[in-house]
Amino acid sequence: MDRRKRIVEEILQLLACRSVTGDARGIMLCQNLVREHATNLGFETEIVAGGRVLVISPKGLKRPAKLGIVVHLDTVPYESSEWTHNPLGEISSGRIIGRGIIDDKGPITLAMHAFDELHGEIEDSWQIIVGSDEEGSWEDMKCFLSGSPILPEFLVTIDGDGVQNGCRGYMDIRLEFKRETDTNIIKNLYVPNGSNNTIPAVCVLELEGEHRYLGVGKKAHSSIPSQGRSAITELATRVDGDAYKEYASFFDLLRRLDKTYDAYFIRIPDAEVSVTNVHMDKNGPILNLNVRMEKDIEYNVLSRALMDLMLNYNCNAEIVDFIRPSSVDKDSPEIKAMQKAYEEVMGKKATVSIARGVGYNAALPNCAIFGPRFEAAHDEEDTCHQANENRSLDDLFKFYDMLKIFVKEVL
């Protein structure tokens, strides 16, 4: 079979396997499928970290490997009703469509086939590390690293835009609000299939007497908040009367954050903030603010920001997830090899940048980012984490060609 046709078929098989973060059965089925594809290519495979991580290696590897490719098989949730194409994969008008084609199932298949196609031309000193909780709390990588594995000397995660030597920091702030009146009008508030790192397109507020509000926004990855609008804040701008008074501080904060992404508003400098998730418990609304940090932040700055939120908005505030900014030397031979590969395929100079999002590169030492998208200035609008996530076949294979050039340069 023609290799490119086989790559497309194998990607479609992965897309057809629903593996949303936290779905243990779906994750296992997808992991088994990746393992089958790797075995068919003649590679060795090992399940580690209590079943959370799959490691793919050439036969007879002497560790440490010189190069490691890091990918993940879990995806963010999706709402089928928002899609005009099959979220579990299809080809239409020269494009592959499906949840995970960009982030991150396409890259799994591309990486395996790049190493296979280069067999005999490169040193067999590589590994592919396949995680299963990148869109979640990274428990897979925490467990993996706790086993003190012999890691490759240089790592690259295929989960970004162009050539990137690092990423911004990431933080989720959990806010628990208190009722401010004696009424009990608001019965429920939620984002269907909500995710802390995705700006939601829909939010539902249910009131007593079967009344309800529907918030409608524009979905986007929370690393690029200006490309979306949170349905949570959009809804808050329209709630009034006794429902508003019940949690006035909650709605006031949301209204002030509507279409505003500068985290300096909540006393965090050099950062962006977006409203990504909400739900109710018996005491009131629980809101998630997602913060993306350009620079590392001192503890006293964060403490002051949390205290201000609690004092000004009648809530409890805590940090539930925190990842510091991470980077490697932008002048390293590996980064130079990525630039060379990019320029050979694209005919354009590759600018080394810091990723707006955060990925496994921040979980692993000496790890950079390479594609699968091109630099924003050289590419179309990013559909990662959105309905109808897609990638053109031409662009998919342009990156495949880049990856082979890079691997051959390093090995």
Side-chain angles (χ1 to χ4, degrees), residues 156-347:
V156 174
T157 182
I158 307 177
D159 194 1
D161 307 287
V163 179
Q164 298 175 311
N165 69 313
C167 66
R168 299 189 297 176
Y170 175 105
M171 177 168 57
D172 282 319
I173 301 176
R174 175 188 170 100
L175 303 177
E176 299 180 358
F177 291 84
K178 304 168 186 176
R179 185 179 283 107
E180 299 179 26
T181 66
D182 294 331
T183 60
N184 189 21
I185 297 169
I186 296 176
K187 299 301 181 182
N188 203 5
L189 175 63
Y190 63 95
V191 172
N193 294 312
S195 168
N196 285 351
N197 62 4
T198 304
I199 294 173
V202 177
C203 180
V204 180
L205 174 65
E206 297 177 350
L207 308 179
E208 65 179 1
E210 299 185 0
H211 298 293
R212 69 183 226 161
Y213 285 85
L214 181 66
V216 179
K218 181 181 178 184
K219 183 177 285 189
H221 195 291
S222 61
S223 64
I224 45 175
S226 61
Q227 292 189 13
R229 185 188 182 186
S230 175
I232 304 169
T233 61
E234 191 280 331
L235 182 151
T237 64
R238 294 184 287 108
V239 177
D240 57 13
D242 290 338
Y244 161 79
K245 294 176 183 178
E246 196 163 274
Y247 295 100
S249 297
F250 168 71
F251 289 113
D252 286 345
L253 175 61
L254 290 176
R255 290 174 178 183
R256 290 165 187 165
L257 286 172
D258 188 45
K259 301 180 183 179
T260 300
Y261 310 108
D262 188 349
Y264 193 75
F265 172 78
I266 57 172
R267 302 287 297 275
I268 299 177
D270 301 309
E272 288 182 318
V273 61
S274 54
V275 180
T276 57
N277 212 351
V278 69
H279 69 278
M280 293 281 291
D281 72 0
K282 62 181 180 180
N283 298 314
I286 298 176
L287 181 70
N288 189 83
L289 301 183
N290 183 247
V291 180
R292 305 287 178 144
M293 303 161 287
E294 298 288 344
K295 301 176 182 178
D296 209 349
I297 298 178
E298 296 180 359
Y299 176 77
N300 65 315
V301 175
L302 294 178
S303 295
R304 186 182 66 221
L306 295 182
M307 185 61 67
D308 283 353
L309 284 167
M310 288 188 282
L311 291 174
N312 293 330
Y313 295 100
N314 192 31
C315 65
N316 293 320
E318 64 173 328
I319 296 170
V320 294
D321 202 355
F322 183 81
I323 301 167
R324 296 186 181 280
S326 173
S327 65
V328 301
D329 181 3
K330 67 178 181 179
D331 294 318
S332 69
E334 293 84 2
I335 295 292
K336 296 295 185 185
M338 289 183 214
Q339 288 181 288
K340 177 183 177 182
Y342 189 98
E343 291 167 20
E344 282 191 24
V345 173
M346 296 294 290

Side-chain angles (χ1 to χ4, degrees), residues 115-128:
F115 286 121
D116 182 60
E117 187 171 341
L118 293 173
H119 180 65
E121 301 180 51
I122 60 172
E123 187 177 348
D124 285 335
S125 186
W126 56 266
Q127 287 185 306
I128 302 173

Side-chain angles (χ1 to χ4, degrees), residues 56-80:
I56 302 168
S57 311
K59 290 182 178 178
L61 171 67
K62 294 182 180 179
R63 302 183 186 187
K66 289 184 178 179
L67 177 65
I69 300 294
V70 188
V71 286
H72 63 92
L73 49 79
D74 64 309
T75 73
V76 295
Y78 59 86
E79 188 67 40
S80 297

